């Protein structure tokens, strides 16, 4: 089962130590890890978002071969959390800095609304091999 964390750590050694000391890692819950640098475009964290019981939450990974922008389309738009976008950022390879895709979290009324958010941010609906859409909660996957 995938587990996603967006953490601010000083360097790759700190990331390795974090992974090694993670309780689920010790319990054998993970076979492998993928680490990316995350360029936070919106300037806020998941903690800045009010958790709404009337909204469905999704975490979306856009694969590296998708022509994903480095920032949401319509960058002049403020992207308030009321519109559903919780976090948005470019993923880059930690050693080379090369683009690897985009990650975003959204809190929206329905999957149809997620498609609207995706169209407005990356210009693509939530379908296809280059998008992974995960039912998600602020404490992890549902």
């Amino acid at each position: 089962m995938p587990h996603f964390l967006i953490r601010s750590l000083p360097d790759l050694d700190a990331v390795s130590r974090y992974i090694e000391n993670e309780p689920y890692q010790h319990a054998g819950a993970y076979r492998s890890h993928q680490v990316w640098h995350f360029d936070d475009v919106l300037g806020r964290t998941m903690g800045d978002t009010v958790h709404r019981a009337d909204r469905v939450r999704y975490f979306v990974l856009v694969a590296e071969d998708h022509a994903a922008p480095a920032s949401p389309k319509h960058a002049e738009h403020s992207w308030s959390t009321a519109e559903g976008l919780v976090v948005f950022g470019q993923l880059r390879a930690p050693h080379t800095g090369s683009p690897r895709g985009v990650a975003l979290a959204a809190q929206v009324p329905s999957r149809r609304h997620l498609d609207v958010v995706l169209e407005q941010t990356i210009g693509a609906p939530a379908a296809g091999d280059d998008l992974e859409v995960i039912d998600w909660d602020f404490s992890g996957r549902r």
Side-chain angles (χ1 to χ4, degrees):
M1 169 170 42
H3 184 77
F4 302 97
L5 293 173
I6 298 174
R7 299 284 310 202
S8 178
L9 298 169
D11 54 39
L12 288 175
D13 288 336
V15 171
S16 294
R17 285 190 305 276
Y18 182 87
I19 291 170
E20 290 170 12
N21 293 319
E22 209 276 335
Y24 288 112
Q25 175 67 23
H26 283 282
Y30 308 125
R31 285 181 291 176
S32 64
H33 292 85
Q34 292 182 324
V35 175
W36 299 292
H37 180 84
F38 178 75
D39 294 322
D40 178 17
V41 172
L42 301 178
R44 63 177 172 249
T45 68
M46 292 178 189
D48 296 331
T49 303
V50 174
H51 305 193
R52 294 188 49 181
D54 64 333
R55 300 287 174 106
V56 182
R57 287 164 292 281
Y58 296 99
F59 190 84
V60 181
L61 292 173
V62 183
E64 63 188 285
D65 56 345
H66 189 285
S71 62
K73 284 176 54 180
H74 316 296
E76 71 282 358
H77 190 61
S78 67
W79 294 110
S80 73
T81 57
E83 294 173 288
L85 199 57
V86 176
V87 295
F88 181 94
Q90 183 81 32
L91 298 172
R92 292 185 291 115
H95 294 288
T96 65
S98 61
R100 304 301 288 174
V102 167
L104 67 91
Q107 181 175 233
V108 292
S110 70
R111 178 62 184 261
R112 185 177 55 80
H113 287 88
L114 176 65
D115 289 340
V116 171
V117 168
L118 290 171
E119 180 61 40
Q120 291 174 341
T121 56
I122 64 171
D129 292 338
D130 56 350
L131 292 168
E132 184 174 357
V133 178
I134 297 118
D135 288 341
W136 168 81
D137 208 339
F138 285 95
S139 61
R141 186 179 178 140
R142 278 184 277 148

